[in-house]
Amino acid sequence: SQTIHQWPATLVQPVGSPLSLECTVEGTSNPNLYWYRQAAGRGLQLLFYSVGIGQISSEVPQNLSASRPQDRQFILSSKKLLLSDSGFYLCAWSEQGNTEAFFGQGTRLTVV
Amino acid sequence: AQSVTQLGSHVSVSEGALVLLRCNYSSSVPPYLFWYVQYPNQGLQLLLKYTTGATLVKGINGFEAEFKKSETSFHLTKPSAHMSDAAEYFCAVSQVGTYKYIFGTGTRLKVLA
């Protein structure tokens, strides 16, 4: 069966520090991969999605970037965090063909 | 462009009462529609989905939703609320080939004893 792993679960980082959040999927190949951010009262905002290795689409201009170095690995990064980067970050995957998306357990990022 | 509107950011019901969470969507082509549930500090879990076929869809934990094309709605219902249903619920839409899932802003359900 397929599983998705996202880490760390919580992270407290100072303003200006770098960020790396990692997500891996097991039990499937060539998945679509997604990074969402959830801010209080604002629902889920799609940040990045990827339909293949090295193929990244950005939905909103921001301080973050994403990479997909391997088929089932998706990384969210920042060179210098801002206070506004605080939030709950969710990684997700779906099969090609757009049935449901499956979510990781999320990372609570607090920038101080 | 696709969009999702969830009416009511907070809904309170008594235990045993009907749960109705509203979702309206906008899509230029037939959509796929989803309801997800999120418990505090956790990821999202799929409750149910509509892709094609029967418009009344049954999901886990006694929830169901009906796709009404004429009303562009996909409201979530449960006949009798349980305390364990207290959570945040998200409606989402996607289209084949767009690779994207667009979510509503969520409805927080509170169940009163």
Side-chain angles (χ1 to χ4, degrees):
Chain A
S1 63
Q2 301 91 350
T3 56
I4 179 168
H5 302 281
Q6 184 181 345
W7 68 92
T10 60
L11 190 60
V12 180
Q13 291 285 98
V15 169
S17 65
L19 172 73
S20 180
L21 302 182
E22 189 162 343
C23 173
T24 59
V25 180
E26 297 177 356
T28 188
S29 60
N30 196 30
N32 295 327
L33 295 171
Y34 307 85
W35 279 110
Y36 284 87
R37 178 169 58 200
Q38 187 176 18
R42 297 180 64 181
L44 277 75
Q45 181 185 33
L46 178 61
L47 302 176
F48 301 95
Y49 68 94
S50 171
V51 300
I53 295 175
Q55 301 178 61
I56 309 295
S57 296
S58 174
E59 286 295 292
V60 293
Q62 58 204 315
N63 187 41
L64 302 169
S65 62
S67 62
R68 184 171 178 172
Q70 300 181 42
D71 181 44
R72 293 168 292 166
Q73 183 184 28
F74 206 25
I75 297 172
L76 183 69
S77 304
S78 174
K79 293 181 179 178
K80 290 185 178 181
L81 283 168
L82 306 172
L83 287 174
S84 58
D85 292 323
S86 294
F88 193 52
Y89 289 83
L90 289 158
C91 181
W93 74 274
S94 71
E95 298 279 4
Q96 300 291 337
N98 269 74
T99 54
E100 65 266 35
F102 300 93
F103 284 80
Q105 290 300 296
T107 296
R108 173 74 60 191
L109 172 66
T110 303
V111 182
V112 297
Chain B
Q2 299 169 276
S3 66
V4 176
T5 301
Q6 290 184 242
L7 293 176
S9 58
H10 292 80
V11 171
S12 294
V13 300
S14 298
E15 191 173 21
L18 172 72
V19 176
L20 171 60
L21 304 182
R22 299 180 185 274
C23 173
N24 288 89
Y25 69 91
S26 173
S27 177
S28 58
V29 298
Y32 291 168
L33 295 161
F34 309 87
W35 275 100
Y36 285 84
V37 61
Q38 184 183 34
Y39 299 99
N41 292 311
Q42 294 188 23
L44 277 68
Q45 179 185 9
L46 181 71
L47 278 177
L48 47 80
K49 65 179 180 181
Y50 169 79
T51 54
T52 59
T55 56
L56 181 62
V57 179
K58 295 186 183 299
I60 62 172
N61 301 339
F63 285 93
E64 63 182 36
E66 186 171 10
F67 169 58
K68 292 187 176 181
K69 183 178 178 180
S70 61
E71 299 177 8
T72 60
S73 69
F74 191 57
H75 301 331
L76 181 71
T77 61
K78 182 175 180 177
S80 177
H82 191 272
M83 297 298 289
S84 60
D85 295 327
E88 190 157 21
Y89 292 80
F90 291 92
C91 182
V93 62
S94 74
Q95 293 174 357
V96 175
T98 65
Y99 308 111
K100 293 188 287 187
Y101 297 83
I102 306 301
F103 284 81
T105 52
T107 297
R108 189 169 298 277
L109 176 66
K110 186 175 182 179
V111 181
L112 307 172

